[in-house]
Amino acid sequence: MTAGRIFDIQRFSIHDGNGIRTIVFLKGCVLRCRWCCNPESQAYDIQKMLVDGEEKIIGRDMTVTEIMEIVEKDRLYYRRSGGGLTLSGGESLCQPDFALALLKNANERGIHTAIESMGLVEYRHIENILPYVNQFLLDIKHMNPVKHQAFTGKTNQLILENARKMAAYCKYARTELSIRVPVIPGFNDTAAEIAPIAHFAGELKTVKKLHLLPYHRLGQDKYQALGREYQMKKAVPPTDALMQELLLAARQASLVDCQIGG
């Protein structure tokens, strides 16, 4: 009866993995990205938010069995679309035993599995889950460790080390490895910053796709609801023209299949 703490379950999603998916959002994260659209995911603690003037409890504990009962409801859609279960967060590997139990259970049921992670954990936690993961969506935000730390609170050294280890594993396994890059104004929204990430992805050899994800402000109101300041309030989402420019830079720097969104 392995249990963990989540803050949401989203059914019928067409993002965060192939096909139609059920996304389980786990609570807890080691980063504090300035642009985070799910600030309620960062703390592991159960929290209270003011939503439309009413207090809302954020976070609940559920067992693997309880979650899989929800996931199973859409098995027909997974089969037809190539979809399945995705773990997201927060950082889902901040609850490594729970994440492992969920992925293993889904895998044993024949449900496609994906995990969205920045990989900033001890590699043993990643190594434990990889046999049960069909698709690993790895967030790489910047190649410069100083700038990475300034905007997220942590350096990127361990992330890049783990990316190399995962890529080596994927040479001999069924896990599909993709890189996702949130394009953030003032942080990495230039060709000079996107191109090195794409080059790195190409060097890994086993990366299937690189996704450029344009910044949005959909989570801004959550900060006020949590009594926190939103540090990106002056940021403007990238234009379509800029995203196309960054996509071109990524494609010129790498042979990896690059796209906007996904």
Side-chain angles (χ1 to χ4, degrees):
M1 295 293 289
T2 304
R5 184 162 295 173
I6 71 166
F7 68 95
D8 198 11
I9 297 178
Q10 180 180 320
R11 296 169 64 193
F12 305 113
S13 174
I14 57 172
H15 303 291
D16 299 316
N18 300 333
I20 296 172
R21 311 197 67 82
T22 297
I23 306 177
V24 179
F25 293 88
L26 279 63
K27 237 177 171 301
C29 188
V30 296
L31 294 186
R32 292 296 180 266
C33 301
R34 296 183 187 180
W35 60 88
C36 181
C37 62
N38 290 324
E40 74 275 30
S41 74
Q42 294 177 349
Y44 177 75
D45 298 337
I46 293 175
Q47 299 169 285
K48 295 179 180 179
M49 282 179 63
L50 281 177
V51 181
D52 297 325
E54 295 185 4
E55 196 170 76
K56 181 179 179 182
I57 302 299
I58 305 297
R60 65 187 188 273
D61 295 331
M62 295 185 70
T63 66
V64 170
T65 300
E66 289 170 331
I67 290 175
M68 292 309 300
E69 286 177 358
I70 297 172
V71 173
E72 281 280 8
K73 293 179 180 179
D74 300 317
R75 181 184 281 271
L76 178 62
Y77 298 104
Y78 309 149
R79 186 180 299 121
R80 290 180 173 177
S81 68
L85 166 69
T86 297
L87 301 190
S88 188
E91 168 51 62
S92 40
L93 290 179
C94 283
Q95 298 184 57
D97 294 337
F98 184 49
L100 173 61
L102 278 169
L103 292 166
K104 186 175 181 180
N105 195 293
N107 182 268
E108 290 171 348
R109 294 169 185 250
I111 295 174
H112 184 278
T113 59
I115 183 169
E116 187 270 327
S117 170
M118 95 286 277
L120 189 57
V121 294
E122 293 180 29
Y123 185 70
R124 63 186 177 90
H125 295 312
I126 297 174
E127 190 173 36
N128 287 340
I129 68 163
L130 281 175
Y132 310 105
V133 176
N134 298 113
Q135 191 173 16
F136 201 112
L137 307 170
L138 177 65
D139 290 355
I140 295 184
K141 305 171 185 4
H142 212 289
M143 295 303 293
N144 184 307
V146 176
K147 197 164 189 180
H148 192 281
Q149 184 164 16
F151 276 74
T152 71
K154 299 283 185 181
T155 184
N156 62 354
Q157 182 179 350
L158 183 57
I159 296 170
L160 301 183
E161 288 177 4
N162 285 340
R164 295 184 182 97
K165 292 176 182 177
M166 277 187 278
Y169 173 91
C170 290
K171 289 181 182 178
Y172 310 102
R174 62 176 183 167
T175 305
E176 176 184 329
L177 177 61
S178 297
I179 303 296
R180 308 209 308 175
V181 186
V183 177
I184 309 300
F187 174 59
N188 64 358
D189 61 337
T190 67
E193 289 164 307
I194 293 298
I197 301 176
H199 180 74
F200 175 77
E203 287 186 325
L204 296 179
K205 305 297 184 185
T206 52
V207 173
K208 298 297 183 184
K209 290 185 179 180
L210 185 143
H211 303 266
L212 300 178
L213 309 178
Y215 162 79
H216 59 74
R217 307 181 69 170
L218 297 179
Q220 181 175 352
D221 292 343
K222 295 180 180 180
Y223 287 82
Q224 183 176 356
L226 289 167
R228 293 173 53 186
E229 180 184 0
Y230 184 60
Q231 298 184 59
M232 301 288 292
K233 54 191 172 186
K234 294 184 179 180
V236 178
T239 63
D240 291 343
L242 176 57
M243 291 303 301
Q244 290 297 328
E245 177 185 329
L246 299 179
L247 178 62
L248 177 61
R251 287 174 172 171
Q252 290 177 338
S254 176
L255 294 177
V256 172
D257 181 11
C258 303
Q259 66 182 61
I260 296 172

